[in-house]
Amino acid sequence: MNTVGERIFEVKNHFFGADRGSNKKFADAIGVNPNVVSNWFSRKDGIGNAVIEKILEAFPSVDKGWLVGGNGEMLNNEAENEKNPVKSYISGVPYYNVDFIGGFDLILNDQTINPEYYIQFKPYDKATCWCNITGHSMEPEINHGDIIALREIHDTSFLPYGEIYAIVTANDMRTVKRIGPSSNPDNYTLIPTNKSPEYGIQELPKNMILRIFEVMGCMKRL
């Protein structure tokens, strides 16, 4: 049976590959020095619970029984992973640590920006990206501080009413609202979920929409 250190090495290779620099990427993901990580790989024992917990926190799809004792498979049951989001540093839907309302233009305008990590979650695997949301206008459906899965819509000739969209306008406004019909056929109405007096329905001319994304879902940040 291989050692805990060898199994940690397998985890590193699975998520970051065996190429040069993968040790540092793995170390950064769990918040330790790369030299410490290298030492783990060659150790047969003496790797404490704190190390195990760091790895499991950073890579929740890794099975604890396998990592500690070599029992079973490296990754959790696939069906279970479809029910729960998994953080990855190789594949999945990219998560950008920016706010849609305040800084999403960084993603739109600079394709060189790298995601902080990727999210593997079967229900939202068709999303374009995940990002942060601030504000209270869509509570309790979407809460301040949640992350939202967005799927860009390129053909805007038909947008179903009643769905929630993340909208970027030509005058650099970014908002997340439910879209509804307007008495003016050239407009949409933007409808907040929060019924507090400070939030109200607004009119948005259709020709003001620069880019639009379906909000597929939301959750707390991983």
Side-chain angles (χ1 to χ4, degrees):
M1 181 181 294
N2 57 6
T3 67
V4 175
E6 288 170 334
R7 289 193 291 275
I8 293 174
F9 185 73
E10 288 183 48
V11 172
K12 187 270 298 182
N13 284 353
H14 176 80
F15 286 99
F16 296 101
D19 61 310
R20 187 175 182 179
S22 61
N23 283 13
K24 184 179 186 308
K25 293 176 184 177
F26 180 71
D28 289 344
I30 57 180
V32 299
N33 188 291
N35 292 331
V36 175
V37 166
S38 297
N39 291 335
W40 293 343
F41 299 154
S42 60
R43 291 168 66 176
K44 296 182 179 180
D45 51 29
I47 296 176
N49 289 335
V51 171
I52 299 299
E53 292 306 319
K54 279 180 180 288
I55 295 171
L56 294 175
E57 182 179 358
F59 307 99
S61 60
V62 172
D63 185 80
K64 184 174 183 177
W66 175 86
L67 183 60
V68 174
N71 302 313
E73 302 294 328
M74 178 194 298
L75 301 182
N76 296 322
N77 182 271
E78 183 178 348
E80 190 64 27
N81 285 342
E82 292 186 1
K83 300 177 185 177
N84 299 291
V86 173
K87 183 190 295 186
S88 171
Y89 292 88
I90 290 183
S91 63
V93 176
Y95 162 71
Y96 296 95
N97 189 15
V98 297
D99 183 78
F100 179 80
I101 305 300
F104 193 69
D105 56 325
L106 295 174
I107 301 171
L108 294 180
N109 299 324
D110 189 349
Q111 298 303 311
T112 67
I113 293 178
N114 294 320
E116 184 162 305
Y117 51 79
Y118 298 88
I119 296 176
Q120 297 176 350
F121 194 19
K122 190 70 172 179
Y124 304 137
D125 63 1
K126 301 299 184 184
T128 304
C129 66
W130 290 82
C131 66
N132 307 326
I133 184 70
T134 57
H136 304 277
S137 67
M138 296 304 292
E139 292 179 347
E141 288 182 283
I142 302 174
N143 293 309
H144 175 77
D146 282 352
I147 62 174
I148 51 177
L150 304 180
R151 182 180 69 87
E152 184 162 16
I153 299 172
H154 297 286
D155 182 0
T156 60
S157 58
F158 174 72
L159 296 175
Y161 293 145
E163 303 298 325
I164 300 175
Y165 298 93
I167 302 165
V168 180
T169 68
N171 64 347
D172 201 35
M173 181 187 79
R174 291 176 292 278
T175 188
V176 174
K177 293 290 185 294
R178 181 170 277 103
I179 279 184
S182 169
S183 57
N184 183 342
D186 294 326
N187 290 358
Y188 291 119
T189 56
L190 304 183
I191 307 167
T193 301
N194 194 327
K195 302 306 180 186
S196 297
E198 62 264 36
Y199 305 109
I201 296 174
Q202 297 174 298
E203 295 273 325
L204 176 68
K206 295 178 180 179
N207 61 11
M208 286 285 292
I209 296 176
L210 184 63
R211 298 178 79 165
I212 189 165
F213 302 78
E214 174 193 0
V215 178
M216 301 181 69
C218 66
M219 64 182 177
K220 299 300 180 186
R221 182 175 172 181
L222 296 180

